[in-house]
């Protein structure tokens, strides 16, 4: 059984732990260990996650499978990408699953859930950044209708930047 539930402040600790684990599983080889450790320290600590959960612009959902937390997403409404014309676009800021469930089609369920939610909020489309070497993610997004529309240098630390694709899914098509 799979369920997707809105995250609350009470989920701060488990969301921090899940965020760290899924980032390392999917991007652990994207930068030197000390740079990733610094990124995690700055972005996936309880103070930062709690503040994000309190901010109504951030919409977090938790994905459970067989009563186990296996993934999460974070979307932000009305955030057009740099060259985006329509202001009613959402950013899929994070969507991560535990590696052990990669081949169970749960990513599609979580993505579809988020897309339906964004359409209910009258968003014209959704965009995201994905690391150019994360071939699995790029293939997943393309299979689900996203197009590469640009690039972005994603800052991991003062010492390391990862090249990312800017990908977009237009809901009008």
């Amino acid at each position: 059984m799979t369920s997707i539930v809105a995250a609350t402040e009470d989920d701060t600790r488990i969301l921090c732990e899940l965020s760290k684990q899924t980032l390392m599983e999917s991007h652990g080889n994207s930068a030197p260990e000390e740079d990733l450790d610094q990124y995690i320290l700055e972005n996936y600590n309880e103070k930062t996650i709690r503040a994000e959960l309190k901010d109504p612009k951030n919409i977090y959902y938790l994905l459970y499978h067989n009563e186990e937390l296996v993934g999460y997403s974070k979307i932000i409404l009305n955030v057009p990408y740099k060259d985006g014309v329509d202001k009613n676009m959402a950013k899929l800021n994070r969507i991560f699953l535990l590696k052990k469930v990669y081949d169970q089609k749960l990513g599609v369920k979580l993505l579809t859930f988020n897309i339906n939610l964004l359409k209910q909020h009258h968003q014209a489309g959704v965009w995201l950044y994905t690391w150019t070497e994360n071939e699995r993610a790029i293939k997943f997004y393309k299979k689900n209708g996203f197009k590469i529309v640009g690039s972005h240098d994603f800052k991991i630390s003062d010492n390391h930047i990862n090249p990312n694709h800017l990908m977009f899914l237009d809901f009008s098509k």
Side-chain angles (χ1 to χ4, degrees), residues 8 33 76:
T8 69
E33 184 177 349
I76 307 170

Side-chain angles (χ1 to χ4, degrees), residues 27 129-136 138 148 150-152 162-166:
H27 291 76
Y129 297 128
T130 191
W131 178 37
T132 58
E133 293 184 35
N134 190 343
E135 293 174 15
R136 182 181 187 88
I138 295 164
I148 296 173
S151 62
H152 173 74
N162 278 347
N164 274 233
H165 292 304
L166 169 59

Side-chain angles (χ1 to χ4, degrees), residues 3-22:
S3 61
I4 300 170
V5 297
T8 69
E9 281 185 68
D10 293 338
D11 299 311
T12 299
R13 180 168 286 145
I14 61 170
L15 192 52
C16 285
E17 293 307 313
L18 181 64
S19 296
K20 292 172 191 176
Q21 183 176 350
T22 56

Side-chain angles (χ1 to χ4, degrees), residues 153-169:
D153 288 332
F154 189 86
K155 182 179 178 181
I156 299 291
S157 71
D158 289 337
N159 301 319
H160 190 86
I161 293 173
N162 278 347
N164 274 233
H165 292 304
L166 169 59
M167 300 185 79
F168 178 66
L169 175 63

Side-chain angles (χ1 to χ4, degrees), residues 68-80:
E68 179 186 3
L69 180 61
V70 296
Y72 77 100
S73 63
K74 175 187 172 189
I75 54 176
I76 307 170
L77 302 176
N78 302 313
V79 181

